[in-house]
Amino acid sequence: MSFQKLDALGRKLESLEHALSILGADEATHMAIGGGEKRAEAMSNLAGMYHAHATAPEIADWIEAAKPESEDQTLALAEFRRQYINATCLPTEFVERRTTATMRSEQLWRDLRAKGDWDSFLPALEGVVSLVREEAQLRADALKLAPYDAMMDQYDPGNRTADLDLVFGDLKSFLKGFVPEALDAQERRLAKRPRKTLSGPYPIEKQRELGLAAMRAVGFDFTHGSLAVSHHPFCGGVPSDVRMTTRYRTDEFLSSLMGVLHETGHALYEQGLPKDWSHWPLGKARGMGIHESQSLFVEMQLARSPQFWEFALPLVHLHLGEDAIPGWEIGDLLNEVNFVERGYIRVDADEVTYPLHVILRYELEQDLVNGKLEASQIPEAWDAKMTEYLGISTINDPKDGPMQDVHWPGGAFGYFPSYTLGAMIAAQQWAALEKAQPNVRDDIRKGDFTGVNQWRSDNIWTQASRWSTPDLITKATGQPLNADFFKAHLKQRYLA
């Protein structure tokens, strides 16, 4: 009987989760500017209701008394227990206060980021940082972890700075030497095949149609999802109604297309989760590292390969017109989509420099959570690391510096490490997939992603949260996470 009570609880929580997700997606895409205050109030109350239900004292008794009748129920019970411990770390009053503060902070960010107005944004960010420190300590006390480890554990259970500092330190050292090598190799390639200029303008509606065609080709189910526009691309909603967004530039089309494919990777994972368990914690995605591995798999492993562009070039001509990229061949597109440069914007960065953007944020947010850095000191600290890691300065450019991401305004501290972990996992998954399907490159060349998606469905999507992240990686690829796959991938693509 106790497990049936947990099952009913899961359905109630799933409904509240559904409402919050759709309201959040709408707020970022379609809500009128005057709706912000009441939307924040509504979401705050819903978040409070969710938290009150998820932390009810009787749940502890249900968990202890439950007698699972199958392996699925046994695994589900363990996830209910883990979720309950994490949920009861935070008082309902705190959850409501945090939700209101982060909603208002995000709304301010959308307005002030475009203006680069750091000074006006700072008080809101200081309030968020204060709340994040409070949350980190509450979680640390309950989980018996260091504060930043406790925050990371919400996004990827098991992540610890003691491990990541070593992995990221090694990767940072590798990339500091590799970036100049990749740039030198690129210069030699461009001497033989110079980079071409995109001949915009590219109408937004035509770009949208191209993006929709690409989504459809790689497997997105439009009966359970849609594409809209937002300030910052994201994939939200719920598995039965995935809300994807992108943003457009009319002078070029590749950044939007790559963004669409990245978010489609997230969406395919959500749409592929097991429907029978959707109301159990067991049926949710297994952390953001795995989630990012699915988006980066599509964007990096697939969409920046020569085989993909043999299939996609005709799509560009179909939707943007025969003269959209006159005279361009596959090699010209690869020059563009795999172009390496030291840039300011994380979401626009190439896969060689991208991890350095993530490591910068990982290091800064540790110091913010631990009180070694104040919000007012972010611009200087950010600039120092950008200068050291990428050789460029952001000291007079907060818009393209510390204001560029929505994560900190939204209170999502501990999330950034998942991006680079995802890149490493994606490279390892590709190696395992290619070993299992030796003809996979030919399939991609033909625009046939059936085998790719079947492998990922069998090994990742339908497994949901049955296993820990390390166990899931091992079961899917045959060995524990090994960054050497990512390094080998970069060498093969950028030094060959």
Side-chain angles (χ1 to χ4, degrees):
M1 187 64 187
S2 293
F3 190 86
Q4 281 67 42
K5 291 179 179 178
L6 290 172
D7 183 82
L9 171 68
R11 294 186 187 279
K12 184 176 292 185
L13 293 178
E14 182 185 35
S15 295
L16 288 169
E17 209 171 52
H18 187 140
L20 280 164
S21 295
I22 297 302
L23 282 174
D26 176 81
E27 188 267 344
T29 55
H30 293 96
M31 188 191 75
I33 190 169
E37 184 176 348
K38 280 296 180 181
R39 182 60 57 89
E41 181 182 328
M43 293 187 70
S44 176
N45 283 326
L46 282 171
M49 290 170 60
Y50 180 96
H51 190 71
H53 283 299
T55 59
E58 58 268 25
I59 295 173
D61 296 331
W62 297 347
I63 290 171
E64 290 308 311
K67 293 180 172 57
E69 298 175 358
S70 66
E71 181 188 10
D72 288 347
Q73 287 191 5
T74 299
L75 293 169
L77 183 62
E79 282 298 300
F80 271 116
R81 181 179 288 107
R82 189 181 70 81
Q83 183 183 63
Y84 185 69
I85 292 171
N86 278 289
T88 53
C89 293
L90 308 179
T92 299
E93 172 276 330
F94 174 83
V95 173
E96 294 174 348
R97 186 158 43 95
R98 180 191 61 184
T99 302
T100 300
T102 54
M103 283 287 294
R104 293 302 294 154
S105 173
E106 282 192 46
Q107 290 161 5
L108 272 173
W109 170 80
R110 289 193 186 95
D111 176 46
L112 298 175
R113 191 230 161 179
K115 304 171 185 175
D117 190 350
W118 172 262
D119 291 338
S120 296
F121 177 62
L122 180 58
L125 183 60
E126 287 176 326
V128 171
V129 170
S130 177
L131 284 166
V132 166
R133 288 172 178 169
E134 187 177 348
E135 177 182 351
Q137 194 57 58
L138 287 166
R139 292 192 182 282
D141 291 343
L143 300 173
K144 309 304 179 190
L145 296 171
Y148 187 71
D149 285 349
M151 294 300 286
M152 284 199 300
D153 207 63
Q154 308 313 301
Y155 300 102
D156 272 307
N159 271 6
R160 300 292 181 266
T161 53
D163 300 319
L164 292 193
D165 285 351
L166 292 174
V167 172
F168 284 175
D170 174 60
L171 185 57
K172 181 169 69 174
S173 177
F174 167 77
L175 289 172
K176 282 183 176 181
F178 184 78
V179 170
E181 287 184 59
L183 289 169
D184 287 344
Q186 176 174 268
E187 188 175 350
R188 292 192 296 272
R189 284 195 303 273
L190 293 179
K192 298 176 182 176
R193 181 189 287 272
R195 192 180 182 194
K196 293 184 176 179
T197 303
L198 288 167
S199 55
Y202 299 99
I204 287 173
E205 188 52 41
K206 289 187 176 182
Q207 289 192 59
R208 173 178 164 78
E209 291 303 317
L210 173 61
L212 293 174
M215 291 166 65
R216 191 175 294 110
V218 298
F220 186 85
D221 177 2
F222 281 97
T223 66
H224 291 99
S226 59
L227 176 69
V229 175
S230 67
H231 290 271
H232 187 95
F234 68 84
C235 176
V238 294
S240 60
D241 185 10
V242 175
R243 303 299 179 91
M244 261 181 56
T245 72
T246 189
R247 57 188 176 193
Y248 298 102
R249 291 171 49 179
T250 56
D251 61 324
E252 58 92 11
F253 67 90
L254 284 169
S255 62
S256 174
L257 181 59
M258 290 297 110
V260 164
L261 287 162
H262 177 96
E263 300 304 335
T264 301
H266 283 304
L268 291 174
Y269 187 17
E270 288 293 319
Q271 292 182 339
L273 291 169
K275 294 175 177 57
D276 291 346
W277 312 334
S278 66
H279 59 295
W280 295 348
L282 187 71
K284 311 300 182 186
R286 174 77 293 174
M288 291 315 303
I290 295 294
H291 229 309
E292 284 305 315
S293 78
Q294 299 311 289
S295 61
L296 293 173
F297 186 96
V298 173
E299 181 195 359
M300 298 300 182
Q301 305 298 321
L302 299 182
R304 297 178 191 267
S305 70
Q307 294 79 21
F308 179 87
W309 281 102
E310 289 184 47
F311 147 73
L313 181 54
L315 279 184
V316 173
H317 290 149
L318 176 64
H319 293 283
L320 300 186
E322 287 293 335
D323 296 330
I325 44 175
W328 283 54
E329 299 175 352
I330 301 297
D332 300 308
L333 281 159
L334 293 174
N335 274 351
E336 197 66 23
V337 299
N338 292 327
F339 186 74
V340 180
E341 64 181 335
R342 297 179 172 98
Y344 295 96
I345 306 298
R346 176 186 63 83
V347 296
D348 293 336
D350 56 85
E351 65 180 330
V352 176
T353 59
Y354 188 97
L356 291 172
H357 288 271
V358 169
I359 291 168
L360 175 152
R361 289 155 173 77
Y362 165 73
E363 293 171 347
L364 289 182
E365 68 179 18
Q366 276 191 75
D367 289 344
L368 283 166
V369 169
N370 294 330
K372 296 178 182 176
L373 183 73
E374 297 301 326
S376 61
Q377 299 171 312
I378 290 174
E380 290 75 18
W382 186 288
D383 179 67
K385 289 184 183 292
M386 282 292 287
T387 302
E388 178 188 350
Y389 300 167
L390 289 167
I392 52 180
S393 174
T394 58
I395 194 62
N396 295 315
D397 186 13
K399 172 178 172 289
D400 291 337
M403 290 183 77
Q404 67 182 265
D405 294 302
V406 71
H407 302 63
W408 291 349
F413 284 68
Y415 188 143
F416 278 120
S418 300
Y419 289 118
T420 287
L421 288 174
M424 292 189 286
I425 297 167
Q428 187 161 328
Q429 286 176 13
W430 172 259
L433 169 61
E434 191 166 29
K435 184 177 180 181
Q437 300 179 15
N439 297 321
V440 66
R441 292 179 188 267
D442 291 332
D443 292 340
I444 293 167
R445 189 177 284 115
K446 299 171 189 172
D448 181 1
F449 298 91
T450 307
V452 170
N453 287 341
Q454 190 61 57
W455 187 93
R456 294 199 296 152
S457 176
D458 292 343
N459 291 283
I460 303 294
W461 304 343
T462 59
Q463 301 304 308
S465 288
R466 288 176 65 86
W467 321 110
S468 68
T469 298
D471 285 348
L472 180 57
I473 295 166
T474 301
K475 287 176 181 292
T477 68
Q479 61 178 288
L481 181 63
N482 184 342
D484 286 345
F485 287 103
F486 181 59
K487 294 179 182 179
H489 164 69
L490 293 183
K491 290 176 181 177
Q492 188 276 329
R493 177 168 285 176
Y494 295 97
L495 298 185

